[in-house]
Amino acid sequence: MSLVTTFATILKTYEYSETSKILRLLTRDHGLCSVIAKGARRPKSRFGGLLEPFTDGIATFYAKEGRELHTLSAFELHRERQALGRELARYAAAGLLTEIALRFAPAAPDAELFDQLGRGLDRLLAESGDVETAMLEEAWKLIVHLGFAPSTERCSLCGRQDEAAEPTHFDLMGGGIVCERCQPQAEKSSLRELSRAARAELVTLVRGGRGDGRPLESARAQRDLLRDFVAYHLADHRPLNSFRFLEERLG
Ligand SMILES: [Zn+2]
C-alpha cells in the first residue's frame, strides 16, 4: 500500500451506502482513479461539501496494488466550480468535457490532458460569450489532444487538398472530409453533409477555435457532427450520455 498525493479533478460522484461517496478522478500524476470517500455524506464529514463534480484539489489516497478502488484520506480544495451548476448550458457543457475525460483518458498519466481539462472548465465558468461555442472548442481541444484530430483540410481518402469552395461531406469512418471525387466510395451511412460555412467553422474548431465567444453559424451541425464523430471513433458507435442531456435541454 502506498500513499499518493496528486492534483485531481472530480469528474463524477456516486453515492455509496448511507454515508460514503465514490469519486471518479482525473489525476495529474496517476491518470484516472476511483476513490471511496468514507463518511463524505455525513453532515459533519471532514471532507465538508467539497466533493462535487468539476472541483479541483489535491487528493491524498492509499493506493493498494491490484485494487481498482482506493481510499481517499484527504482532499484539499484548490478550485471549486459549483457556479457551473447554476446555469444549465454551462453545466451540460462541463458534463461533456468531463465525460470525454472519463471515457477516453489513457491509462497512463497525462498531465497535459489534466491541464487542458482544467482550462476548459475554467473557460466554461468564465465565458461571457456563447457557451455552446466555448464547449465545442474545448471539446475538440481534448479530442485533438487524445490523438483523434480529423482531417478537415485534405480529403481523408485521397489526401487531395480540397478547395474550400467545393461542397464537402464528412466521412465518419474515414475520420475527415471527403472530396467530391471520393464521395461515392464512402459508405453512405458514414457520410454527413457539411455546408461551406460548417466546413470552414470545423477547420477553425479543430485548430483550437477562435476563442472570442462569438456564436457559430453552424452550431447545431457542429454539435451533431461532434456527437457522431465521438460515437464512431471513441465510443463503440454509442453517443455519450452528455449529448442526450444537451439535446434535451438545449434543443
Ligand atoms: Zn478524395
Side-chain angles (χ1 to χ4, degrees):
M1 196 159 76
S2 61
L3 191 65
V4 168
T5 297
T6 175
F7 274 108
T9 301
I10 300 175
L11 303 178
K12 212 170 162 108
T13 67
Y14 305 88
E15 295 184 355
Y16 184 81
S17 78
E18 294 281 294
T19 55
S20 299
K21 266 184 179 181
I22 289 176
L23 315 178
R24 297 281 280 144
L25 304 176
L26 182 68
T27 70
R28 202 162 193 277
D29 305 326
H30 294 267
L32 287 173
C33 294
S34 294
V35 297
I36 181 162
K38 290 183 179 159
R41 296 175 62 213
R42 288 208 176 97
K44 285 183 183 162
S45 158
R46 67 201 149 112
F47 298 114
L50 299 174
L51 303 181
E52 297 297 335
F54 319 133
T55 295
D56 275 3
I58 298 170
T60 301
F61 52 88
Y62 295 96
K64 278 186 207 147
E65 219 162 303
R67 287 284 278 280
E68 295 278 317
L69 186 64
H70 311 304
T71 303
L72 187 71
S73 72
F75 191 88
E76 188 188 319
L77 180 70
H78 181 61
R79 185 160 174 71
E80 57 97 6
R81 299 187 179 95
Q82 294 309 299
L84 286 167
R86 286 187 212 126
E87 209 182 299
L88 222 43
R90 286 177 212 269
Y91 181 78
L96 174 63
L97 299 191
T98 48
E99 190 179 8
I100 289 172
L102 187 63
R103 298 279 300 274
F104 312 120
D110 183 341
E112 179 50 37
L113 180 70
F114 177 84
D115 293 345
Q116 183 58 55
L117 177 67
R119 285 193 293 269
L121 293 173
D122 282 345
R123 176 166 174 210
L124 292 176
L125 200 58
E127 181 61 56
S128 56
D130 185 59
V131 172
E132 187 170 10
T133 302
M135 171 189 81
L136 289 165
E137 291 182 352
E138 298 304 319
W140 275 115
K141 282 181 198 166
L142 292 175
I143 291 164
V144 168
H145 176 78
L146 288 166
F148 291 93
S151 172
T152 56
E153 289 163 84
R154 287 177 177 278
C155 171
S156 57
L157 293 178
C158 71
R160 187 164 69 96
Q161 181 106 34
D162 202 33
E163 294 300 322
E166 285 180 28
T168 314
H169 281 71
F170 190 94
D171 178 21
L172 296 173
M173 200 186 285
I177 57 163
V178 282
C179 70
E180 282 230 87
R181 262 194 318 200
C182 294
Q183 195 193 310
Q185 299 168 35
E187 184 119 8
K188 251 209 163 92
S189 64
S190 159
L191 287 177
R192 298 290 179 273
E193 218 174 307
L194 272 188
S195 69
R196 214 187 301 174
R199 191 270 185 87
E201 290 187 327
L202 181 65
V203 170
T204 308
L205 281 171
V206 172
R207 281 183 184 161
R210 294 182 310 230
D212 61 6
R214 264 189 300 140
L216 296 171
E217 203 178 302
S218 63
R220 184 59 205 258
Q222 299 297 346
R223 202 209 304 161
D224 290 347
L225 184 68
L226 179 67
R227 177 198 61 206
D228 293 348
F229 180 81
V230 170
Y232 198 93
H233 282 278
L234 293 153
D236 288 335
H237 298 213
R238 279 196 303 270
L240 301 185
N241 295 329
S242 314
F243 283 106
R244 213 174 315 142
F245 186 74
L246 280 163
E247 279 155 16
E248 279 167 17
R249 306 302 156 110
L250 304 182

